[in-house]
Amino acid sequence: MLLKARSAGGLRRIPGTAPRPRRPFAGGIGAAPSPGGVDAHPWRSAPPRPVPERAGAPAGVPLSPLIRGRSPGGGASPAGSPERWGADYQLARRAPRIMRPDDANVAGNVHGGTILKMIEEAGAIISTRHCNSQNGERCVAALARVERTDFLSPMCIGEVAHVSAEITYTSKHSVEVQVNVMSENILTGTKKLTNKATLWYVPLSLKNVDKVLEVPPVVYSRQEQEEEGRKRYEAQKLERMETKWRNGDIVQPVPNPEPNTVSYSQSSLIHLVGPSDCTLHGFVHGGVTMKLMDEVAGIVAARHCKTNIVTASVDAINFHDKIRKGYVITISGRMTFTSNKSMEIEVLVDADPVVDNSQKRYRAASAFFTYVSLSQEGKSLPVPQLVPETEDEKKRFEEGKGRYLQMKAKRQGQAEPQP
């Protein structure tokens, strides 16, 4: 038996054997990605690809294929890096992901919560990198609010999801991120837009997560962009404060409820927050919370109409407070309004710090989800009309009707041809 002798520098060649030819190293940190999109392996020799540049960017400064504005070595970017050139360079692209059976319902349609989670991940990446683009206290971007999101087209098992994000506005303490989701049929190559979402993040210090830091400013190509962004910021700030106080009640179970009533379909899910639900800093990912909220809303909708259901849209999701690892969260959903072919479900998230006696149960998040009922062929079906019983249920029904009519008028106005 031949034994390889070990030297101080590792293994050395056995006398009498031919040396193994060395091949050029093509991978490593900073190496150009291979044509397949994955860094070249050490045993492959591949010519470097040309680094993409953008019109208006300083000559010779590359743009990362994942995050525009990331410094070549990672970490904080130096002065003059793309973060400082303007909002047009605040772009991110999440790695494509194929939709699998565990991402979808029994009819093969991808859960809205799965898509919302992908959207939040893309937004968290780009906003955290932007907030750490200047020298200073390190921070992590926490999701504060998701504006109304419409599910424009269903995504199915086997399709590939492409998620892109862009920073569109920054205030002193918040970042607005626009996220688009495209679905691709890899058999035909057909692509379609499935989702557009706007998210707001705030930077929290890693030394003290209760401390909100300042956001590095962006330079806008047009003055109108900044003014429009400021209006959106003020509007969401006002609505977020109103929603925090409006959603103070708790969903209570009712014994032996009648069909088509609020109590008949209302549902709750209790979840213990574990390490896999959290960031490295011990707080729940916003995308995890949204996925659980969508699951509960889907159960409420299915119980009410007893057919296949899909998420049609999500009204603004407000995150009122952080949820820590080890907390027990209760996600409750109840029907608030029904039209002929849609259902509005209010979802509330309450956090209970069971291992911390110094803090009481609190409202962590709230939102309204809209679902539609579908036949086995995927066609829209009429929805059983909700029967509100108590005065609070009747009040919520009228409020839901107002939101429905307001959004319907907005869609009709956008559909009318411009003169």
Side-chain angles (χ1 to χ4, degrees):
M1 179 182 296
L2 295 178
L3 297 178
K4 294 183 178 180
R6 185 180 296 274
S7 65
L11 296 178
R12 62 183 177 86
R13 182 169 55 88
I14 298 175
T17 60
R20 183 178 179 180
R22 292 189 176 184
R23 298 183 181 181
F25 180 73
I29 298 176
S34 65
V38 182
D39 287 348
H41 295 290
W43 57 86
R44 294 178 183 170
S45 177
R49 295 195 315 175
V51 180
E53 296 186 1
R54 267 236 174 143
V61 180
L63 297 179
S64 167
L66 177 61
I67 298 290
R68 274 26 175 211
R70 182 183 180 187
S71 62
S77 302
S81 64
E83 287 96 345
R84 312 256 322 223
W85 303 334
D88 187 44
Y89 290 92
Q90 313 308 309
L91 297 174
R93 294 192 183 276
R94 190 178 182 275
R97 177 188 165 190
I98 190 167
M99 296 294 101
R100 303 186 181 278
D102 55 349
D103 296 318
N105 58 20
V106 293
N109 297 319
V110 175
H111 290 294
T114 300
I115 299 175
L116 290 172
K117 187 177 180 181
M118 292 190 296
I119 288 174
E120 195 277 331
E121 288 174 352
I125 290 172
I126 188 174
S127 53
T128 297
R129 279 181 170 161
H130 174 74
C131 292
N132 288 280
S133 61
Q134 295 182 352
N135 293 329
E137 193 171 347
R138 299 295 91 180
C139 63
V140 60
L143 183 61
R145 176 180 168 90
V146 181
E147 300 289 0
R148 178 181 175 88
T149 303
D150 290 309
F151 290 74
L152 307 175
S153 179
M155 191 181 301
C156 302
I157 296 174
E159 293 185 333
V160 175
H162 300 266
V163 185
S164 61
E166 177 183 8
I167 292 178
T168 51
Y169 177 76
T170 59
S171 68
K172 185 177 181 180
H173 296 292
S174 62
V175 182
E176 182 190 50
V177 180
Q178 177 73 44
V179 182
N180 293 333
V181 182
M182 300 284 294
S183 65
E184 177 190 5
N185 186 321
I186 55 178
L187 300 179
T188 63
T190 305
K191 291 184 179 181
K192 57 185 177 182
L193 179 67
T194 62
N195 291 81
K196 294 178 66 175
T198 302
L199 303 88
W200 292 88
Y201 289 83
V202 293
L204 304 179
S205 169
L206 294 182
K207 297 180 180 179
N208 179 10
V209 292
D210 294 323
K211 178 183 177 182
V212 179
L213 303 180
E214 293 190 8
V215 176
V218 294
V219 180
Y220 303 92
S221 58
R222 293 182 295 106
Q223 183 65 28
E224 293 80 3
Q225 290 180 332
E226 183 175 9
E227 295 175 356
E228 293 169 358
R230 186 179 297 110
K231 291 179 180 178
R232 295 192 300 270
Y233 166 75
E234 295 296 339
Q236 66 87 24
K237 184 179 179 181
L238 179 61
E239 184 178 346
R240 188 163 173 261
M241 293 302 298
E242 292 176 350
T243 306
K244 183 174 183 179
W245 299 112
R246 186 172 69 239
N247 292 327
D249 54 344
I250 299 175
V251 178
Q252 298 288 355
V254 176
N256 302 320
E258 293 293 329
N260 298 335
T261 61
V262 175
S263 302
Y264 182 81
S265 60
Q266 70 181 22
S267 305
S268 295
L269 184 153
I270 300 176
H271 180 76
L272 174 64
V273 176
S276 62
D277 300 320
C278 300
T279 66
L280 297 176
H281 315 292
F283 294 97
V284 175
H285 286 287
V288 171
T289 305
M290 290 193 292
K291 190 174 187 296
L292 293 172
M293 295 172 77
D294 179 74
E295 288 179 4
V296 171
I299 294 173
V300 174
R303 279 181 170 174
H304 180 77
C305 61
K306 300 187 184 303
T307 62
N308 178 37
I309 47 87
V310 292
T311 312
S313 66
V314 182
D315 207 348
I317 303 177
N318 293 288
F319 292 84
H320 308 300
D321 207 339
K322 299 180 292 295
I323 304 174
R324 298 175 184 268
K325 181 174 62 178
Y327 283 18
V328 173
I329 56 176
T330 303
I331 305 97
S332 304
R334 61 188 173 196
M335 191 81 64
T336 54
F337 170 76
T338 56
S339 66
N340 291 333
K341 293 187 177 181
S342 66
M343 301 162 279
E344 183 190 69
I345 298 109
E346 182 182 28
V347 182
L348 309 173
V349 180
D350 295 309
D352 188 2
V354 291
V355 295
D356 185 3
N357 295 327
S358 63
Q359 190 173 4
K360 297 181 179 180
R361 179 185 176 113
Y362 60 91
R363 177 63 42 82
S366 58
F368 290 97
F369 287 71
T370 300
Y371 276 75
V372 293
S373 175
L374 298 180
S375 66
Q376 294 181 353
E377 294 76 24
K379 296 182 179 180
S380 179
L381 293 176
V383 172
Q385 292 304 293
L386 181 67
V387 181
E389 298 176 301
T390 67
E391 291 300 321
D392 287 340
E393 291 174 358
K394 293 176 181 179
K395 180 181 178 181
R396 287 193 292 267
F397 186 91
E398 292 300 322
E399 291 174 349
K401 184 178 180 180
R403 287 187 292 268
Y404 168 76
L405 294 176
Q406 182 180 9
M407 187 52 58
K408 184 178 180 180
K410 183 178 179 180
R411 287 197 301 265
Q412 290 176 345
Q414 292 175 348
E416 293 178 357
Q418 300 295 328

